[in-house]
Structures are given as C-alpha cells and as structure tokens.
Amino acid sequence: MEKTARKVMEVLSGKTVSPPPVWLMRQAGRYLPEYRETRRQAKGFLDLCYSPDLAVEVTMQPIRRYGFDAAILFSDILVIPDAMRRNVRFVEGEGPQLDPISLEEIERLEAPDLARHLAPVFETVSRLRTELPDTTTLLGFCGAPWTIATYMIAGHGTPDQAPARLFAYQHPKAFDRLLSVIAEASADYLIRQIDAGADAVQIFDSWAGVLGDDEFQRYAVGPVRRIVDVVRAARPETKVIAFAKGAGANLRTYRQGVDADAIGLDWALPLDFAVELQKDGAVQGNLDPLLMVAGGEALENRARRILDKLGHGPLIFNLGHGITPQADPENVTRLLEIIRGG
Ligand code: CP3
C-alpha cells in the first residue's frame, strides 16, 4: 500500500502544499484545560518531561483536539543543562532557574551521558510515533547552543541576555568552549530522537535577536551549523527547521549558514521580506501569538494575509513564537478553519 503523506515532511522537501500544513509552537501547554489537568498529576515540570505516560498524553492532547499536521515532543530545551547536572528547576510563576556556570566549571564541563539521563524522553518519542496518526509528522527538538548558554550563564531568564553577552565579550575562548560542548550534546540528543522515531527536528534559538551581526555569525550560526553537520553525518536524511527568533536581516544568510531545510520566522518579520526568504526554500511562521488571545477580525485578517503572501510557496503555517497561557482554545479552532478553508 502507498505510504500516507506527511504534509510537513513534503514542505520540508521544498514542495508547496495547499492548504499549508499547520502546527503551533508550544501547542501542548497551559492554554489547554486538559494540559493543566495532567500537569497537576506531575510533581514538577521536569517530572512531566521525564514521565513517558504523561509526556505522551500532553503531546497527544492538541493532536486529538485540533488534528494538527505535526506533533512536537513534549520536553524542554533545558533538559540538556539538566543532564549536565546544572540543577535545573522550574519555579511556579518564575520560569526556569539553574546554577550559574563559572569560568572554571566551563573548563571542566563534559558531554553528558544522554542515554542514561534522558532515557525517558527517548521512550516518549518512540511511543509517540506508534500512537500518532500516520499522516502526523513527529518533530523532535533542541535549543540552539546560544540560547541554552544564556540560561546556563545567567542561571535564569533575563530580558536581554546581558550576562551571556558580557561573558562572551570578556571570555570569548571559554564561551566558545561552552557552546561547543552544548552543540556536541545537542547533536547527540537529536540523533537519539531521530533513532527513536522523530521525523524531523527543530532547533530553537529564542534569543538570537539580541546578538550583534558579528556575534550572530559566531554564536548563532556557527554552533547550529555544527549540530546540523554532525546530525547529517550520522543520519543524512534528517530534515531540520531552524528558528532564530528576532534575527531580522540576519535571516538573509541564515538558512544557508546553518544548512536548514526550513527557517522559522517570528511575527515581527515583514511579510515582504518573508516572501524573499521563501524563494530560497521553506519557511515556517509567523502569526503573532497574541492573536490567539485577541481573536476576531484581527486574527482573521492577519492569518489571511500570511496565506496570501506565503501560501503559494513552501509554507508550514505556525505562530511567530509559542502560544501563551492566555490564548483562547476557540481561536485556535478558528485559525484552523481559516487555513483549511473557512
Ligand atoms: O508544545 C510544545 O511546543 C512542546 C514543548 C516545549 C516546551 N518548551 C514546554 C514548556 C518546547 C518546544 C519548549 C521549548 C523551550 N523551552 C524554549 C524555546 C522556545 C521558546 O519558547 O522560546 C525555551 C526558551 C524554553 C525554556 C523555558 N521552558 C522557559 C523560559 C519556560 C518558562 C516560561 C513559561 O512559559 O512559563 C519553560 C517552561 C515550559 N516549557 C512550559 C511548557 C509547556 C510551561 C511550564 C508549565 O507548564 O508549568
């Protein structure tokens, strides 16, 4: 029998699919009552990530409710520093906290044993591939080294990542070493997700937008390229989506620089610029996540504009960043109607 098509995979091969496939960053999350219910059953957020039963359940929730074209593994980018024993905690209402890493600790930092520390995540991936509909793409993911490093240096989220930027200016050699240990661990992590059943992977560089252009090349492009090269050397067919949030004009050379099959676009990126970028290959994005709160005409108009501008080329419809806890689940239903022909 003919194998059923996974539309996201088709777009990642450069095809135009109409209507475009759609999934939403952070589609499993607090805006869904069923997520909040499952979340209560886990002790902490990391326990949720490391319990395959619960992680499979929350990954499946938005697929059952909306029939998205892709599921994304439920985990977090900070499981890599957690495996490096950086004491990652998620404090209710405060976001992630880690032990800030020192210069001396960077010199001694080693690649973590992921088979041991992240075994439950790989089990979640393999169970998901058997549970998901055949037509649903399963995405694995990791954080980009720059974004992971910002949390490891500061020990928490900051508005502009000043601690990591300053550290990089003052200790460039140590910072390069930190990024390279994270890149090796991340490549290993992605290869294991592929082997467990992930169809493609996304690399999240949520903090790429705070880098100057030289630093963007050195810290956002170089280490992500290294991950892609290592992953493709081991698993040559791997499709990669690279999302450098806030990268703006740096996106002109980003796809080629990191060798991605698709690039993610944030909501602030002008659509005319997005059209230019799409001439080189698939794009993913870029609806403002706040339109999932606002709904109404604002949502309708912008979603249609994105479809008009980008729907005639290779597009994976998505938000320009993760959906927020305040989003109305009904607006997601409405968005899917608009995309799929409403
Ligand atoms: O549905 C999905 O998208 C899959 C799961 C996923 C999560 N985090 C679950 C999560 C993915 C892909 C991520 C990626 C992630 N994690 C990123 C990159 C993407 C982005 O949003 O920029 C980053 C920077 C993180 C780090 C992180 N994790 C932060 C800063 C926070 C706290 C912020 C917040 O929203 O509270 C988290 C926690 C987190 N990761 C939650 C979820 C659903 C919320 C925590 C909870 O449920 O208690």
Side-chain angles (χ1 to χ4, degrees):
M1 225 197 310
E2 186 75 23
K3 199 163 166 269
T4 21
R6 292 184 183 145
K7 291 178 187 168
V8 170
M9 298 307 292
E10 293 192 341
V11 175
L12 291 177
S13 321
K15 294 198 186 102
T16 299
V17 176
S18 187
V22 52
W23 69 281
L24 305 184
M25 290 188 272
R26 290 272 178 103
Q27 62 192 16
R30 287 163 292 183
Y31 75 108
L32 290 178
E34 57 268 37
Y35 173 87
R36 297 195 296 271
E37 175 60 37
T38 310
R39 176 79 171 77
R40 276 194 286 274
Q41 294 171 34
K43 266 185 265 136
F45 174 72
L46 279 177
D47 297 296
L48 181 56
C49 297
Y50 296 150
S51 310
D53 287 343
L54 301 181
V56 167
E57 168 56 23
V58 293
T59 307
M60 294 299 296
Q61 286 168 350
I63 304 303
R64 289 198 288 260
R65 189 191 263 256
Y66 299 115
F68 286 121
D69 295 290
I72 183 160
L73 160 70
F74 191 86
S75 180
D76 197 85
I77 64 167
L78 298 179
V79 299
I80 289 293
D82 191 50
M84 291 171 167
R85 305 186 170 287
R86 300 311 305 163
N87 190 19
V88 176
R89 293 94 68 196
F90 284 85
V91 186
E92 207 62 65
E94 284 182 48
Q97 291 183 12
L98 305 72
D99 292 345
I101 195 163
S102 66
L103 204 52
E104 296 70 38
E105 286 174 314
I106 289 175
E107 299 307 337
R108 286 184 273 115
L109 190 67
E110 281 174 32
D113 179 353
L114 298 185
R116 207 172 112 219
H117 291 286
L118 300 182
V121 177
F122 307 126
E123 188 185 331
T124 301
V125 174
S126 64
R127 284 208 225 163
L128 279 170
R129 194 52 280 176
T130 50
E131 279 205 26
L132 282 165
D134 228 30
T135 51
T136 311
T137 295
L138 175 57
L139 296 174
F141 73 92
C142 70
W146 160 250
T147 287
I148 298 280
T150 64
Y151 290 99
M152 290 182 74
I153 300 267
H156 52 83
T158 72
D160 53 5
Q161 303 306 349
R165 284 158 55 213
L166 191 57
F167 189 97
Y169 288 128
Q170 292 175 327
H171 310 287
K173 284 235 165 65
F175 197 66
D176 280 338
R177 172 167 160 70
L178 175 60
L179 293 180
S180 100
V181 177
I182 299 169
E184 297 311 313
S186 303
D188 180 20
Y189 185 43
L190 293 182
I191 291 166
R192 289 174 191 278
Q193 293 180 43
I194 297 284
D195 290 348
D199 298 303
V201 294
Q202 174 156 328
I203 302 172
F204 287 90
D205 213 347
S206 307
W207 289 101
V210 301
L211 292 167
D213 54 355
D214 292 343
E215 288 72 26
F216 185 85
Q217 293 306 319
R218 180 163 173 174
Y219 301 133
V221 176
V224 170
R225 176 61 178 247
R226 172 78 187 148
I227 295 175
V228 175
D229 284 349
V230 173
V231 170
R232 291 241 181 80
R235 306 291 178 267
E237 304 301 310
T238 307
K239 299 290 183 198
V240 177
I241 306 167
F243 175 50
K245 182 174 173 285
N250 283 320
L251 287 178
R252 230 173 246 134
T253 53
Y254 186 64
R255 178 199 306 274
Q256 206 187 4
V258 301
D259 198 17
D261 300 283
I263 52 172
L265 311 178
D266 64 79
W267 74 89
L269 203 80
L271 277 179
D272 287 331
F273 186 46
V275 169
E276 291 303 309
L277 296 172
Q278 198 187 37
K279 290 179 181 159
D280 296 332
V283 295
Q284 173 176 280
N286 74 338
L287 194 75
D288 188 342
L290 289 187
L291 288 171
M292 294 293 97
V293 184
E297 257 181 56
L299 161 61
E300 181 130 1
N301 292 342
R302 188 65 191 182
R304 291 199 194 285
R305 284 254 299 148
I306 292 172
L307 290 169
D308 285 348
K309 286 274 188 184
L310 300 174
H312 308 287
L315 170 69
I316 301 166
F317 201 108
N318 205 315
L319 303 179
H321 196 203
I323 191 166
T324 62
Q326 298 76 27
D328 181 346
E330 287 296 315
N331 287 332
V332 177
T333 305
R334 182 67 198 119
L335 174 64
L336 287 166
E337 284 168 3
I338 294 165
I339 296 169
R340 292 176 173 168

